[in-house]
């Protein structure tokens, strides 16, 4: 009989160890639920478990959109961590004491359950006749096991081996209020950072709402001390090798309707960029302040000195890499008028075809191409077709620095957006949606998914205004057109 029981006991022991050591299995076990865990839950859970096991940096930030389970991960990870390290003292903070207390009670419910006792009997707690202290609790044999606090209530007289911050921004109104942001920064510096010891681990879980929020300020002061897990609602690049989605796919479609998110992205681009993409953007832009741009319904092309194309070519046609950008502009000798912009993943031959179509649509032979990646191939092909191609060499500085060199001209109102210009065939050059995407990308730079819009605008501004009032071909240029 014992030989028959031993394999069963062995299997039970294997499963219990799995529940003890894997956060996602632990949550399913103690909560009596079967969650629909996705790749990003596993990514965040693994990083939290690494933190418990002393692997990697001691400080972790997790940025996720609303309602995708980040708080669930945190409020279950703390009991699992205390199950292994009951001597650790946890400080758990939220924007208000009431919210921190709710999370505290949720943790106590987990740690007082029979299922938790089965996994971690030495960390099991007993609720006092079903009543729970809203601010703190102790594991038997240990002191100050967890203390919950609101961001403004303070943690005087306590220290933390584990500091967890979750939901520290109450609303978008507070996020937009600089006084509130300064206040959060002061509280963090004086009330939270001072509670660290040499072994303290920190977790900061947040849905970002502003480019100058507490997370941004912490990362600015301690850039090398934190690991950041950023989960965007829409995959827009290949920056995360763990993301299995295709470019353009939305997160968690079983839980959030992708159509709702797509509508939100269209109607509220800044909100989308902040809350859902977790790459906050200033109202008027991070680096490029678009409030200085002027808008025109249409312009008289006959009053322009000339019109031309600017092309920022991609390295490859791979969707995981940056796309090619093609911008058409007009120039009156003083100011630039953006007529249209398009981007996509094209081969050199496709870029040439699209460039010719764009040039014909605005009646020009003038094309400027950056001399990088696919640029030389595109330049040679266009020259063979008798287009006036000017090669633009890339300045030897970072993209953001190149753009900042042009900020003076942007702030002087040298950039105009033409919204309803027709091409030579009487068709509108670009749609409202294209224009909104163009402006949004400029605002998001340099934290947005792509920077072709900013690159093309910088190229045009440097070429037409910064380097010269206008470009006129030299004998060498004329000769190169025919070579």
């Amino acid at each position: 009989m014992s030989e028959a029981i031993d394999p069963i006991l062995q299997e039970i022991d294997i499963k219990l160890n799995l529940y003890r050591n894997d956060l996602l299995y632990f949550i399913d076990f103690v909560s009596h639920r079967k969650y629909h865990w996705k790749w990003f839950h596993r990514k965040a859970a693994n990083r939290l478990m690494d933190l418990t096991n002393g692997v990697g940096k001691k400080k972790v930030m997790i940025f996720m959109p609303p309602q995708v389970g980040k708080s669930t991960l945190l409020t279950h990870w703390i009991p699992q961590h205390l199950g292994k390290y009951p001597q650790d003292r946890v400080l758990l903070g939220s924007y208000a004491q009431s919210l921190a207390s709710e999370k505290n009670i949720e943790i106590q419910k987990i740690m007082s359950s029979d299922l938790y006792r089965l996994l971690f009997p030495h960390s099991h707690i007993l609720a006092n006749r079903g009543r729970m202290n809203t601010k703190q609790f102790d594991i038997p044999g240990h002191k100050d096991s967890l203390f919950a606090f609101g961001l403004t209530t303070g943690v005087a007289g306590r220290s933390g081996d584990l500091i967890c911050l979750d939901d520290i921004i109450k609303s978008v109104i507070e996020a937009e209020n600089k006084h509130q942001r300064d206040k959060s920064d002061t509280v963090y510096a004086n009330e939270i950072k001072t509670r660290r010891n040499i072994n303290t681990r920190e977790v900061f879980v947040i849905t970002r709402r502003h480019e100058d929020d507490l997370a941004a300020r912490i990362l600015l002061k301690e850039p090398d001390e934190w690991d950041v897990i950023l989960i965007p609602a829409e995959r827009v690049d290949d920056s995360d090798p763990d993301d299995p989605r295709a470019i353009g796919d939305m997160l968690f479609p079983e839980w959030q309707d992708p159509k709702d998110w797509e509508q939100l992205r269209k109607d509220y681009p800044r909100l989308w960029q902040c809350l859902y993409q977790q790459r906050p953007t200033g109202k008027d832009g991070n680096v490029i302040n678009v409030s200085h741009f002027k808008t025109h319904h249409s312009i008289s092309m006959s009053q322009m000195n000339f019109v031309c194309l600017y092309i920022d070519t991609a390295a490859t046609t791979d969707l995981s890499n940056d796309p090619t950008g093609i911008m058409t502009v007009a120039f009156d000798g003083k100011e630039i008028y953006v007529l249209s912009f398009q981007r996509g993943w094209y081969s050199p031959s496709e870029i040439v075809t699209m460039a010719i179509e764009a040039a014909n649509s605005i009646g020009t032979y003038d094309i400027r191409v950056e001399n990088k990646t696919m640029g030389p191939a595109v330049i040679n092909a266009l020259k063979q077709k008798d287009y006036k191609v000017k090669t633009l060499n890339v300045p030897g500085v970072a993209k953001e620095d190149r753009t900042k060199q042009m900020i003076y001209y942007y702030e002087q109102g040298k950039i105009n957006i033409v919204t309803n210009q027709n091409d030579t065939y009487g068709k509108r050059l670009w749609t409202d949606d294209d224009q909104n995407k163009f402006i949004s990308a400029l605002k998001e730079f340099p934290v947005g998914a792509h920077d072709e819009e900013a690159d093309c605008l910088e190229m045009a501004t440097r070429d037409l205004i910064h380097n010269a009032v206008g470009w006129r071909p030299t004998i060498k240029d004329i000769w190169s057109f025919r070579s």
Side-chain angles (χ1 to χ4, degrees):
M1 179 68 70
S2 60
E3 293 181 357
I5 295 175
D6 286 344
I8 296 175
L9 293 177
Q10 186 177 16
E11 183 179 354
I12 291 173
D13 190 51
I14 290 173
K15 287 188 175 181
L16 290 179
N17 278 327
L18 180 64
Y19 299 145
R20 288 188 190 99
N21 295 303
D22 190 298
L23 177 57
L24 299 186
Y25 284 95
F26 171 79
I27 296 174
D28 286 347
F29 181 69
V30 299
S31 62
H32 299 283
R33 291 182 60 183
K34 181 65 177 176
Y35 286 89
H36 298 288
W37 300 119
K38 298 296 180 181
W39 65 270
F40 59 93
H41 296 117
R42 169 55 63 192
K43 181 182 179 78
N46 285 349
R47 188 61 190 88
L48 291 172
M49 290 186 291
D50 283 346
L51 201 63
T52 291
N53 296 326
V55 177
K57 294 179 180 179
K58 295 179 182 179
K59 302 175 184 178
V60 177
M61 288 189 184
I62 300 176
F63 303 153
M64 289 187 186
Q67 300 297 310
V68 296
K70 57 186 180 298
S71 291
T72 298
L73 289 173
L74 184 66
T75 53
H76 284 79
W77 172 67
I78 292 173
Q80 187 195 42
H81 178 90
L82 287 174
K84 296 184 175 183
Y85 297 99
Q87 74 277 9
D88 277 1
R89 297 159 297 176
V90 179
L91 299 177
L92 174 62
S94 295
Y95 69 80
Q97 179 64 58
S98 58
L99 183 59
S101 295
E102 288 179 12
K103 297 178 188 298
N104 174 25
I105 291 174
E106 184 177 351
I107 290 169
Q108 290 181 63
K109 287 180 179 178
I110 295 169
M111 296 182 66
S112 62
S113 70
D114 290 336
L115 291 175
Y116 183 84
R117 180 173 57 183
L118 188 62
L119 300 178
F120 302 112
H122 298 297
S123 299
H124 182 255
I125 63 174
L126 292 174
N128 184 15
R129 296 182 180 178
R131 298 178 62 186
M132 299 179 183
N133 189 306
T134 59
K135 280 192 175 183
Q136 66 185 77
F137 67 83
D138 296 330
I139 294 173
H142 303 278
K143 187 179 180 182
D144 297 333
S145 296
L146 186 144
F147 181 78
F149 65 95
L151 203 59
T152 58
T153 56
V155 289
R158 299 176 183 274
S159 63
D161 303 299
L162 188 64
I163 299 175
C164 301
L165 299 180
D166 184 23
D167 287 329
I168 62 155
I169 302 174
K170 181 178 182 180
S171 65
V172 68
I173 295 175
E174 282 201 358
E176 294 287 347
N177 188 314
K178 186 176 183 301
H179 172 71
Q180 289 292 340
R181 297 198 304 273
D182 290 344
K183 188 176 180 180
S184 297
D185 194 8
T186 300
V187 169
Y188 181 79
N190 290 275
E191 296 290 340
I192 299 174
K193 286 183 68 173
T194 56
R195 305 302 153 189
R196 296 172 177 169
N197 59 57
I198 194 170
N199 295 313
T200 295
R201 304 174 179 93
E202 287 189 63
V203 180
F204 191 177
V205 177
I206 184 175
T207 295
R208 302 196 61 190
R209 296 174 182 265
H210 197 278
E211 71 278 6
D212 183 43
D213 59 16
L214 181 57
R217 296 189 182 197
I218 293 172
L219 290 175
L220 185 64
K221 298 182 182 78
E222 304 173 345
D224 299 324
E225 296 183 28
W226 293 80
D227 273 343
V228 176
I229 295 177
L230 190 156
I231 308 296
E234 178 188 14
R235 187 178 188 189
V236 293
D237 58 30
D238 64 340
S239 59
D240 185 355
D242 297 322
D243 192 337
R245 296 175 292 172
I247 300 293
D249 282 357
M250 295 294 184
L251 195 69
F252 218 173
E254 299 91 340
W255 182 251
Q256 299 285 354
D257 189 342
K259 292 182 180 179
D260 291 341
W261 276 3
E262 288 170 3
Q263 190 65 41
L264 184 67
R265 178 182 58 182
K266 181 179 179 180
D267 295 341
Y268 304 99
R270 181 170 179 254
L271 177 68
W272 172 259
Q273 194 65 22
C274 291
L275 260 67
Y276 292 87
Q277 292 302 93
Q278 295 298 290
R279 292 185 172 102
T281 301
K283 284 184 177 180
D284 295 318
N286 295 324
V287 173
I288 302 173
N289 189 334
V290 299
S291 68
H292 297 294
F293 294 1
K294 293 175 287 189
T295 304
H296 302 268
H297 182 274
S298 61
I299 59 173
S300 174
M301 299 293 273
S302 62
Q303 295 180 3
M304 299 292 114
N305 285 20
F306 56 86
V307 294
C308 57
L309 267 65
Y310 284 88
I311 303 177
D312 175 34
T313 60
T316 69
T317 58
D318 189 344
L319 294 180
S320 64
N321 291 317
D322 288 333
T324 291
I326 302 176
M327 185 173 73
T328 60
V329 305
F331 185 59
D332 65 3
K334 295 181 179 179
E335 298 181 8
I336 293 171
Y337 298 79
V338 180
L339 303 174
S340 69
F341 182 86
Q342 57 185 316
R343 64 176 168 87
W345 290 264
Y346 315 118
S347 67
S349 61
E350 289 172 328
I351 296 173
V352 171
T353 299
M354 297 189 70
I356 291 173
E357 291 176 355
N360 292 342
S361 73
I362 57 175
T364 187
Y365 275 78
D366 288 312
I367 302 175
R368 281 95 160 117
V369 184
E370 261 194 339
N371 190 26
K372 64 179 181 65
T373 59
M374 296 182 186
V378 172
I379 291 167
N380 291 332
L382 288 170
K383 282 183 177 181
Q384 290 175 10
K385 296 180 180 295
D386 289 338
Y387 281 86
K388 301 176 182 178
V389 183
K390 181 180 180 183
T391 299
L392 299 179
N393 292 318
V394 183
V397 294
K399 289 183 178 182
E400 185 174 348
D401 293 331
R402 297 203 306 262
T403 296
K404 287 179 178 178
Q405 291 172 354
M406 300 299 106
I407 294 298
Y408 169 79
Y409 304 110
Y410 300 160
E411 293 180 348
Q412 294 299 309
K414 300 294 185 181
I415 306 301
N416 302 266
I417 307 297
V418 185
T419 59
N420 286 269
Q421 191 74 26
N422 287 337
D423 63 16
T424 54
Y425 312 107
K427 183 180 177 181
R428 190 178 174 192
L429 281 171
W430 59 349
T431 65
D432 290 341
D433 189 46
D434 290 335
Q435 294 162 25
N436 290 334
K437 289 179 179 178
F438 178 76
I439 294 296
S440 294
L442 294 179
K443 288 181 178 181
E444 294 161 11
F445 179 81
V447 300
H450 303 294
D451 50 27
E452 290 68 42
E453 293 81 356
D455 276 358
C456 284
L457 188 62
E458 180 269 326
M459 288 164 53
T461 308
R462 184 179 299 277
D463 180 47
L464 297 175
I465 301 177
H466 183 74
N467 289 343
V469 174
W471 176 70
R472 287 169 175 77
T474 64
I475 295 297
K476 183 179 179 180
D477 290 324
I478 294 172
W479 184 259
S480 70
F481 297 157
R482 301 298 175 182
S483 61

